Amino acid sequence: MTAVPITSDSRQTEELDTGRLPDDTSRGRILAIVVAMVLLSEVTAFQLTMVGASLQKITTTFSHVGADINWAVIVSGIVGAATTPILGKLSDIWGKKRVFLLCGLFFLVGCLLDAVTSDWWLFLLGRGLQAFTVVMMIISYGLVRDLLPRKHIPLALGVVAGGVGFSSLIGPVVAGLLVDNFEWRAMFWFLAAYAVVSMIVFALVVPESKLRVRQRIQPYGILSLSAGTLLVLIYADKGQDWGWGRVPTLGWLIAGLVLIAAFPLIESRSSAPIMDMKLLRSPKVGLTLLLMLFGVAVLAVNPTATGYMTQTPDQNALKQTVVQSVIEQAHQTAGVPLPASVVHVTLNPGYHYGNGFGLLGFALHITIMTGIAGLVFGVIGGILARRVGARILAIVACVITGGVAACSAVAMTHYSWQAFAVLAGIFGIGFAFFYTAGSVLIVDALPEDQQGIGSGMLGVTMGLGSAIGTSILAAFQSAHPITAHIEVMGRTIDQPIPQVFGDRGYSLTFWFMTALVAVALMIAVFMRHGRQPSTAGFIVA
């Protein structure tokens, strides 16, 4: 059924026919619909948590790319930001369920490509195709709103957000079992199989929304924004290697800023903008998006950085590895049995972190804490949003995630995995509250016929925020490499150590994340939206 346009006054008192289930619908059916949506939309969180946790292992195949291995995560944010608003609009035109399944097909192709390739650029292409599922969580917010009885919507949104906690709990464990016992490619074979099964369940259980909005799509503005952001992130990532002030390097930054500046001009003059400038000027929408932009970066960076640190061997183990490498090389080239006592290795700079965990060990020691907390507090967040409003959730989330980032920076010089495990559990609470707050705030800010474009705007913001955060991590890692100074019987050589970085690279990253979250906290404190219990998106006079 095609949605009938209504005036802004009548929108306040009338509901569009979206195919909403009646209030007496059995809890079993409602639960089945929500679970089916969560299972399929979780492929996004699964691939992000699994790949993010596995980066240190994936470098065995792509060791030549150095800190650029982080682009396996960054590209998801960039592609997700570019495709989410377009697919969000298409979901209003074609149907949310149909676009959901289409995104699943793109994801499947991307997983199959990454499972078989050893080429870095083809690997990134596969990661880009997988990023088409970023819109799934955004569309799921709209499906929850369109289909479920209103009294169940805040809790359902909390369950959807809490599903990210489930992925944080299960994803690294599954990845650890696969990667430690096989190799990293097995992870993508698993994701492909999971996508097929969950798509079948989704197709059979979830009804289609009746909401349709007649509109055209002009993607020029969002493509300008995404391309500009990509160029700026390349400058931030490669500036250390290319020279920050060199004219060719600055060209990337200038071109990126020009494209970003062109975005609002293109959208304001477009007859069918991807991102409605009027909505952006609305305090409810604009401040919510700013809150998410500044607050989401730490959610991507914290688990990725912790995964790097705990899976890296400690200093002594790394020195022994270098010594054994020198001995083996001497034997191969000269046939000389070199005793270990004549090989002296000094690391410049030294570092304090490192446990040498396998991926499963990282999951069982660290990410399981985040996952359990996220799974529980996602549901609690939905209940609290219905009772006290989503703004308080956002404030609490920012205090928690910012506090964890600051404590992580301080803990670098007194590193222990136990301390980071405790911080990971606390972080999971903020993680769940932040996702729940964002989804409820954007749903409550918009009427049904603007849900697709509003959710798309939320997806752009979260994708760009995640990409920016991960690129900051990559930039600080690249700026603080570790070199092994090797001395053998009076002869010396300096050898770069790939994928191991100085403490300062991580501490600066955590402090930068703390600053970003502090901005998000200030926005949450002063915003007026979300101070009342959630209305589940029903705009009342």
Side-chain angles (χ1 to χ4, degrees):
M1 177 176 178
T2 302
V4 178
I6 56 178
T7 66
S8 59
D9 291 336
S10 63
R11 184 185 292 132
Q12 294 179 337
T13 56
E14 298 179 22
E15 281 196 76
L16 297 172
D17 181 7
T18 62
R20 189 183 310 281
L21 299 174
D23 290 340
D24 59 356
T25 301
S26 68
R27 292 185 177 180
R29 186 182 181 193
I30 292 174
L31 179 62
I33 291 172
V34 173
V35 168
M37 281 193 290
V38 169
L39 284 176
L40 183 50
S41 64
E42 282 305 281
V43 297
T44 303
F46 262 134
Q47 59 98 2
L48 286 174
T49 56
M50 293 174 76
V51 174
S54 306
L55 285 181
Q56 205 264 353
K57 307 302 181 187
I58 296 175
T59 56
T60 57
T61 300
F62 305 112
S63 58
H64 61 285
V65 303
D68 286 346
I69 193 69
N70 287 292
W71 279 89
V73 176
I74 296 171
V75 72
S76 292
I78 295 295
V79 175
T83 58
T84 291
I86 299 172
L87 293 169
K89 269 202 166 187
L90 286 176
S91 72
D92 284 340
I93 298 172
W94 294 347
K96 295 181 175 67
K97 179 178 179 179
R98 186 176 300 173
V99 173
F100 224 94
L101 293 171
L102 178 64
C103 294
L105 289 176
F106 279 110
F107 179 83
L108 178 60
V109 173
C111 288
L112 294 176
L113 180 59
D114 281 350
V116 299
T117 188
S118 295
D119 182 88
W120 172 241
W121 297 106
L122 287 178
F123 179 80
L124 288 183
L125 175 61
R127 295 290 297 139
L129 290 173
Q130 292 160 38
F132 275 68
T133 60
V134 171
V135 75
M136 282 184 172
M137 181 170 290
I138 305 302
I139 296 177
S140 68
Y141 299 154
L143 272 175
V144 166
R145 174 177 171 153
D146 289 353
L147 299 177
L148 300 190
R150 290 198 175 276
K151 63 181 180 180
H152 296 297
I153 290 178
L155 180 58
L157 290 174
V159 172
V160 171
V164 178
F166 174 79
S167 301
S168 300
L169 174 63
I170 300 298
V173 175
V174 173
L177 289 170
L178 294 171
V179 175
D180 288 354
N181 291 286
F182 302 97
E183 62 166 349
W184 61 264
R185 299 178 194 281
M187 176 174 61
F188 290 103
W189 287 115
F190 166 81
L191 286 171
Y194 177 89
V196 170
V197 173
S198 57
M199 285 169 66
I200 293 172
V201 173
F202 181 88
L204 294 175
V205 174
V206 179
E208 177 63 281
S209 168
K210 293 182 179 180
L211 180 64
R212 298 290 187 276
V213 178
R214 295 175 180 175
Q215 54 187 335
R216 294 182 298 132
I217 296 178
Q218 294 181 354
Y220 313 115
I222 192 60
L223 293 178
S224 175
L225 175 62
S226 299
T229 304
L230 174 62
L231 295 180
V232 172
L233 294 183
I234 290 174
Y235 171 80
D237 182 37
K238 306 303 292 183
Q240 179 73 20
D241 299 330
W242 294 347
W244 297 105
R246 295 183 65 238
V247 173
T249 308
L250 287 173
W252 291 82
L253 175 63
I254 295 170
L257 293 176
V258 168
L259 288 173
I260 292 172
F263 162 70
L265 299 177
I266 295 172
E267 291 294 278
S268 62
R269 297 181 181 184
S270 173
S271 59
I274 286 291
M275 296 182 71
D276 192 333
M277 293 296 104
K278 293 181 180 178
L279 284 182
L280 280 179
R281 289 192 290 269
S282 165
K284 289 183 178 181
V285 177
L287 290 180
T288 297
L289 295 180
L290 277 177
L291 167 67
M292 299 302 290
L293 177 66
F294 284 98
V296 77
V298 70
L299 305 187
V301 167
N302 196 78
T304 301
T306 306
Y308 263 112
M309 293 189 297
T310 54
Q311 294 178 69
T312 299
D314 63 33
Q315 277 199 101
N316 292 329
L318 181 59
K319 289 179 181 179
Q320 290 302 314
T321 299
V322 175
V323 169
Q324 290 302 315
S325 176
V326 171
I327 293 173
E328 291 174 5
Q329 186 176 4
H331 181 72
Q332 291 174 0
T333 57
V336 177
L338 196 66
S341 59
V342 302
V343 182
H344 303 283
V345 177
T346 304
L347 299 180
N348 181 31
Y351 63 97
H352 294 84
Y353 63 89
N355 300 99
F357 286 153
L359 187 54
L360 181 59
F362 167 59
L364 296 179
H365 287 83
I366 305 294
T367 62
I368 192 172
M369 306 297 292
T370 301
I372 292 173
L375 194 60
V376 173
F377 282 89
V379 177
I380 293 174
I383 296 172
L384 290 175
R386 186 177 178 182
R387 294 183 178 179
V388 300
R391 170 180 164 271
I392 190 67
L393 289 182
I395 292 174
V396 173
C398 290
V399 170
I400 291 175
T401 57
V404 167
C407 289
S408 298
V410 173
M412 286 303 303
T413 55
H414 305 282
Y415 175 85
S416 71
W417 72 261
Q418 292 89 344
F420 276 84
V422 172
L423 290 174
I426 299 171
F427 180 80
I429 301 173
F431 188 96
F433 277 6
F434 192 82
Y435 271 105
T436 302
S439 62
V440 172
L441 284 169
I442 203 70
V443 164
D444 279 351
L446 299 167
E448 279 91 345
D449 63 336
Q450 293 178 315
Q451 193 62 218
I453 190 172
S455 297
M457 292 160 68
L458 178 63
V460 170
T461 302
M462 295 177 66
L464 293 180
S466 298
I468 291 169
T470 309
S471 68
I472 290 169
L473 169 63
F476 281 129
Q477 285 177 326
S478 296
H480 296 85
I482 287 181
T483 301
H485 181 75
I486 306 170
E487 183 177 350
V488 182
M489 295 185 294
R491 299 183 61 183
T492 61
I493 186 174
D494 290 331
Q495 177 181 316
I497 303 297
Q499 303 304 322
V500 183
F501 310 99
D503 288 347
R504 187 167 173 79
Y506 290 107
S507 62
L508 286 176
T509 298
F510 287 129
W511 283 124
F512 204 105
M513 293 302 107
T514 303
L516 291 179
V517 176
V519 176
L521 176 61
M522 295 298 293
I523 294 170
V525 168
F526 289 105
M527 71 187 302
R528 301 188 62 82
H529 180 45
R531 295 179 182 234
Q532 301 298 321
S534 173
T535 61
F538 187 58
I539 311 299
V540 295

